[in-house]
C-alpha cells in the first residue's frame, strides 16, 4: 500500500472473495480496526454486492495495519493489510549543537515529513561570514507545496537573522550547490515559516517528484550578537592602573626573595 500522512483520510476498499481470491457477492457487515490505537475508523457497514469502500485516518506516525473483519459470519477469516508507512506532520528533534530542540510542523494538506536530520556547519560546508548557533535541519516534505514551521526552542528572537540554505540554486542541479539566503520566509520570535514549492528555489530536487528536500538554518552574521565588553570610567581606569601596578610590585618582591 501507499504511504500515508498522519491525520489525512484515505480510502480502503474491502472485497468479499472465495478461497481462490475471486470476488463473490455478499451483504455481510464488515468492521474495520487498526494497529493504530488513535486511528479514526468508520462505523460497521454492509457490503454491497461483495464490496465496500471505507474512509480511514491513521493518526500515529510509524508502521501500521488495518484489519477488515466479517462480523456477520465469525467463521470467515479476518484480513490484515500489509504494513502502511504513516509519515508525521510534526517532528521534534534535538539540535546538532545542543541548544534546545528543533520543532517542525506543517498544516499543509497532504504534506508530511520524512528524513528529518540535524547538522553542524562543519558537517555540511563552511559558510563564510555566518555562524550557526543552532546548527541546521534537513528534511523532506512529501507534497507539491508546503508551509513548514520551524521553531528553535533554545532561541528567543530571530528578527533580522536570515535563514540560509545549503543546496542547489537551480533545483536538481548539484553543480549549483552553495549557501544562499532563503527569502520566502516569515519570522515570528524563535520560529521561521518556510513557504516552499516543489522544483522552486528552496527545493533541492527537480520539480514533478512530489517532494521538497530542504537543508538550512538560522545564520547569525559574524560580528553580530557578540557580548559587548563594558568600558571603564576614568576612575575605573585609575583603579585598574593601581591594581596592575600592585601586581608588578608583588612580582618584583617575589623575585628579590628568590
Amino acid at each position: 500500500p501507499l504511504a500515508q500522512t498522519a491525520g489525512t483520510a484515505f480510502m480502503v476498499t474491502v472485497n468479499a472473495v472465495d478461497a481462490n481470491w475471486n470476488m463473490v457477492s455478499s451483504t455481510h457487515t464488515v468492521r474495520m480496526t487498526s494497529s493504530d490505537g488513535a486511528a479514526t475508523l468508520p462505523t460497521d457497514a454492509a457490503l454491497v454486492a461483495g464490496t465496500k469502500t471505507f474512509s480511514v485516518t491513521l493518526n500515529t506516525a510509524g508502521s501500521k495495519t488495518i484489519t477488515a473483519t466479517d462480523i456477520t459470519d465469525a467463521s470467515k477469516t479476518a484480513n490484515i493489510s500489509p504494513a502502511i508507512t504513516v509519515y508525521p506532520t510534526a517532528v521534534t528533534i534535538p539540535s546538532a549543537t545542543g541548544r534546545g530542540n528543533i520543532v517542525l510542523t506543517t498544516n499543509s494538506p497532504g504534506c508530511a515529513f520524512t528524513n528529518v536530520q540535524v547538522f553542524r556547519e562543519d558537517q555540511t560546508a563552511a559558510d563564510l561570514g555566518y555562524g550557526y548557533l543552532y546548527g541546521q535541519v534537513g528534511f523532506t516534505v512529501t507534497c507539491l507545496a508546503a508551509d513548514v514551521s520551524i521553531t528553535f526552542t533554545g532561541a528567543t528572537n530571530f528578527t533580522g537573522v536570515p535563514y540560509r540554505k545549503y543546496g542547489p540554486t537551480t533545483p536538481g542541479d548539484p553543480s549549483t550547490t552553495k549557501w544562499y539566503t532563503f527569502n520566502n520566509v516569515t519570522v515570528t520570535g524563535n520560529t521561521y515559516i518556510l513557504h516552499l514549492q516543489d522544483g522552486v528555489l528552496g527545493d533541492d530536487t527537480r520539480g514533478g517528484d512530489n517532494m521538497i528536500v530542504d537543508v538550512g538554518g538560522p545564520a547569525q552574521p559574524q560580528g553580530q550578537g557578540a557580548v559587548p565588553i563594558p568600558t571603564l570610567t576614568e576612575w575605573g581606569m585609575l583603579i585598574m592602573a593601581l591594581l596592575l601596578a600592585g601586581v608588578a610590585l608583588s612580582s618584583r618582591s617575589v623575585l628579590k626573595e628568590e
Side-chain angles (χ1 to χ4, degrees):
L2 296 175
Q4 301 297 330
T5 297
T8 298
F10 60 98
M11 307 309 290
V12 176
T13 299
V14 177
N15 296 319
V17 296
D18 62 20
N20 296 312
W21 292 92
N22 299 307
M23 281 191 62
V24 296
S25 181
S26 173
T27 58
H28 287 189
T29 298
V30 172
R31 176 171 296 162
M32 306 294 286
T33 57
S34 174
S35 62
D36 178 2
T40 302
L41 300 168
T43 57
D44 301 345
L47 300 177
V48 177
T51 188
K52 181 72 176 178
T53 298
F54 297 88
S55 176
V56 174
T57 303
L58 299 176
N59 293 305
T60 307
S63 180
K64 308 299 177 184
T65 58
I66 298 169
T67 300
T69 303
D70 185 335
I71 60 173
T72 301
D73 183 353
S75 69
K76 295 291 190 295
T77 303
N79 185 260
I80 302 174
S81 73
I84 302 168
T85 299
V86 183
Y87 291 130
T89 57
V91 177
T92 298
I93 189 169
S95 73
T97 60
R99 295 174 180 263
N101 292 326
I102 302 174
V103 181
L104 297 91
T105 59
T106 181
N107 292 322
S108 299
C111 294
F113 293 106
T114 67
N115 302 323
V116 178
Q117 303 176 66
V118 292
F119 307 94
R120 299 186 308 273
E121 184 179 357
D122 62 341
Q123 293 174 307
T124 49
D127 188 11
L128 299 179
Y130 293 91
Y132 292 81
L133 294 178
Y134 306 94
Q136 296 108 40
V137 59
F139 58 86
T140 297
V141 281
T142 54
C143 53
L144 293 173
D147 288 340
V148 174
S149 175
I150 307 176
T151 298
F152 295 81
T153 64
T156 55
N157 194 339
F158 284 127
T159 301
V161 178
Y163 194 91
R164 286 177 61 82
K165 292 171 170 286
Y166 183 71
T169 53
T170 299
D173 183 357
S175 68
T176 65
T177 297
K178 64 179 183 179
W179 284 104
Y180 64 93
T181 297
F182 184 66
N183 293 315
N184 197 9
V185 60
T186 303
V187 183
T188 304
N190 63 345
T191 298
Y192 292 90
I193 301 175
L194 310 184
H195 310 292
L196 302 168
Q197 293 185 55
D198 182 24
V200 177
L201 183 66
D203 178 16
D204 290 355
T205 59
R206 295 185 186 277
D209 57 2
N210 199 42
M211 67 174 61
I212 301 166
V213 179
D214 181 279
V215 177
Q220 183 73 49
Q222 290 183 355
Q224 293 188 19
V227 178
I229 300 174
T231 58
L232 295 174
T233 63
E234 291 183 3
W235 278 105
M237 291 293 289
L238 179 60
I239 293 170
M240 179 63 73
L242 291 173
L243 288 172
L244 291 173
V247 170
L249 289 172
S250 173
S251 297
R252 288 180 184 174
S253 66
V254 169
L255 289 171
K256 286 181 180 179
E257 289 175 0
E258 290 180 352

